[in-house]
Amino acid sequence: MSAAGSLLAVVPAAAVLLLTVVTRPRGAAGVAPLRLAVVRAALLSGAYAVLVVEVLGASHALTRPAFVAAWLLFLCACAAAARVRWRRDATAARQPAATPRRVPVGAAVAAGVGPELPAPSIDEGPAGRGDRPVGRSRGGLLARALDRWRTAGRGERLLAGTVGGLVLVELLVALLAEPNNFDSQTYHLPKVEHWVAQGDLDFWPTAIHRQVTIPPGAEYLLLHLRLLTGGDHLHNLVQWAAGVLCLLVAARITAQLGGGRRAQLLTAFVLATTPMVVLQATSTQTDLVCAAWVACAATLVLDGLRRRTGWGTLLGLGAATGLTAVTKTSGLIAVGPLLVLWGLAQLRLALASRAPAAEGSTARPVAGAARVIGGSVLILLVAAVVVGPFLARVTAEFGHPLGPPRLRESIPMERHDPPSILVNALRIGHTAFDTPLAPLRNVGGKAIIGGADAIGVDPQDRAITFGREIFPEPAWYPDEDRVAFPIAGALALIGAVVALARPRRIDSGQVGPLRAYAVVVLATVLLHTAMIKWQPWGNRLLLYALVLAVPLAGLWLDALLRRRASAARNATNTAGPGGRRRSLATLTVVVVLVTSALAGMLALSYGFPRRLVGSGSVFTTSDWDTRFLRRPQWADEFRWAAGAVRDSGARRIGLVEQNDNWEYPWWLLLRQPDGRSPELVSLQSVLPERLPADPTSVDAIVCTGAKAACAKLVPAGWRLEFRDYVGYALPPGR
């Protein structure tokens, strides 16, 4: 990556920071206003990034100059808006404070403008919310942060320090490690390279249908970095940033549900130490990106439980929905129930706004309902603007917005009878809660298989099982694609059940919101198990649901500590039963948190395929070998074949591969000396309307996978060389 590329990569980050200033709520607004501003800035930037790709792709202008111009224009607009915001805040700070008119709580609810329940926020200073305008002091945020650190207890400091330390070390790994995720080698990163080579988003002939059928939202973000920097050295930062956003938004959701500073820190701690989150935060996978957009939708929906949603929030909900859909359609399993909750809450507020003087009048409720319907339509329209162009291309290519039958039948459940759904849910739960205790795994697996046979369901039925996989499959090892989350999952499940059945144990003032949110979380999990087949890699597909549920874990842990502490204070003798119960509860929570911290640290230190220590360490492994840690035996084979093709002087190179083969190394090894993309064309195609290239039209052929499949496409008289996984073919005379 060049120095110019490094500087250009700063432009999007600077724009997001400026947007955070611009979009921060004015005055005494809501819970955690700074984090709300981060959510708004992320959604605006994400939607802009997607639309830039779509517009420039339609114009056949996916080039570096075009992307540089787009981001510089965006940065200038953000800077201008931030300047206006600073001036307005400075003017407001000089104005004498007006005495607020007191409005009864009932009237505020009827008017749809409140009340906003007080919830301690990490963003707030000791004087409460909104007591200091944004931009009044450059050191304001730092001063408040230092003040909160000074007033925090030892436990809170330990929680915050652990989260911060993990995030910083993950950033180091993300910067040092080359992209080496298996799926990224097959279709995530080749997709980006095809766009760069073509200059547009048109589909291409390929043997790997996932390069064109899987939603490309996360890859759109990678495309920006690819064109701005000229390489893939910063690609891991997309998931890292998504992980940070998940932590911030999960903590804000906890605050919205009544959680104080400790509850928010507990939420962030449990999520940050979950091995799946730790490992994906340094990866080029897409699950954290999807989870971040889902979490953004959730926090905006919770804002709408007690006050009418304004136009800005409606646009944000639409952007969150569209970004989720264009990144990973499974995330809509959560966004759907969230939007239903939002609609019901807005209808309740509309009905509550009926004027008492107009007894029997239906004008205001009807108008309120119409406003909710109009807001819903706006959300869907904004979402359609974000995801619509991709769906239109898929529909035009395959006749269905969800792609070809092969995709629609491979991952979604094909049976929906209650016994099949039950078996699928049990298998997904078994994999998600897996531990290193093999006897426990074996007993659980046998019990599920036996129970499935007893109710007449084949536990390996292809209609409820992905591909040719066989249940059960160990998932405890810290691997980014499959690692289980028994601690975070168990805590989230307990928190959801308590919030649904006994919400007063968590917060007596938040009974309705807690129950409603718990219903959404449980509905999301149930819908996921009813719609997505079991697979050994299914844990990462559940990541969006885990991020959605963890705030309930933080709230429950905090309530448990708070309740036991209160019981101990009321006990006449701390050595009596009350004190012992408090000690036992505290000890249990501490043991769980320490275990969670150890799991996160071990995943960061020894996780696969990026680790700090041991074989394959990011400090001791070369860039090229890091890319092949999944399959080290292939590293030399790719170099051998690419070297022979380069030496032959070939310009147009044919690709022969199977659906799960690695394509991305060819884009790196065969790149032209001036940095331009190689001319790679597929000699196979699973797209009916996209014909593959004629083998006689290329100067050389490179192959991965089976030698027999390659030999079928090599023209007569060509020389074919093949090793275990990689081969190449050259015409006579080359």
Side-chain angles (χ1 to χ4, degrees), residues 118 288 571 588:
L288 269 180
T588 302

Side-chain angles (χ1 to χ4, degrees), residues 192-207:
V192 174
E193 295 300 325
H194 276 286
W195 293 332
V196 174
Q198 296 178 173
D200 57 40
L201 300 174
D202 291 346
F203 291 161
W204 53 89
T206 178

Side-chain angles (χ1 to χ4, degrees), residues 18-53:
L18 289 171
L19 273 179
T20 303
V21 174
V22 174
T23 59
R24 182 162 179 171
R26 292 183 175 89
V31 177
L34 179 57
R35 277 171 280 166
L36 176 57
V38 171
V39 169
R40 291 171 173 176
L43 291 173
L44 278 171
S45 302
Y48 179 77
V50 169
L51 293 178
V52 164
V53 172

Side-chain angles (χ1 to χ4, degrees), residues 532-557:
I532 306 296
K533 294 178 180 178
W534 174 87
Q535 55 182 281
W537 312 279
N539 289 340
R540 65 180 183 82
L541 301 182
L542 268 172
L543 192 54
Y544 74 95
L546 180 69
V547 172
L548 200 65
V550 162
L552 297 175
L555 288 164
W556 176 70
L557 288 173

Side-chain angles (χ1 to χ4, degrees), residues 412-484:
M413 286 274 285
E414 297 177 78
R415 290 181 55 178
H416 298 92
D417 55 289
S420 296
I421 293 174
L422 175 61
V423 171
N424 193 54
L426 291 174
R427 295 183 305 165
I428 289 175
H430 181 273
T431 305
F433 289 91
D434 191 23
T435 69
L437 303 175
L440 181 62
R441 180 191 315 118
N442 295 336
V443 169
K446 290 179 180 178
I448 292 173
I449 292 174
D453 291 337
I455 61 176
V457 177
D458 179 5
Q460 316 300 346
D461 185 358
R462 298 303 102 188
I464 61 173
T465 305
F466 178 82
R468 300 179 181 178
E469 306 303 324
I470 302 296
F471 174 84
E473 184 76 20
W476 65 269
Y477 184 77
D479 183 299
E480 66 174 354
D481 286 335
R482 66 174 65 202
V483 63

Side-chain angles (χ1 to χ4, degrees), residues 30 77 123 127 195 250 354 465 620 697:
D123 293 340
W195 293 332
R354 182 169 55 184
T465 305
T620 60
S697 69

Side-chain angles (χ1 to χ4, degrees), residues 2-13 64 68 71-72 225 227-229:
S2 64
S6 301
L7 292 175
L8 290 173
V10 176
V11 174
R64 188 181 193 187
V68 171
W71 277 109
L72 289 177
L225 287 177
L227 287 172
L228 291 176
T229 66

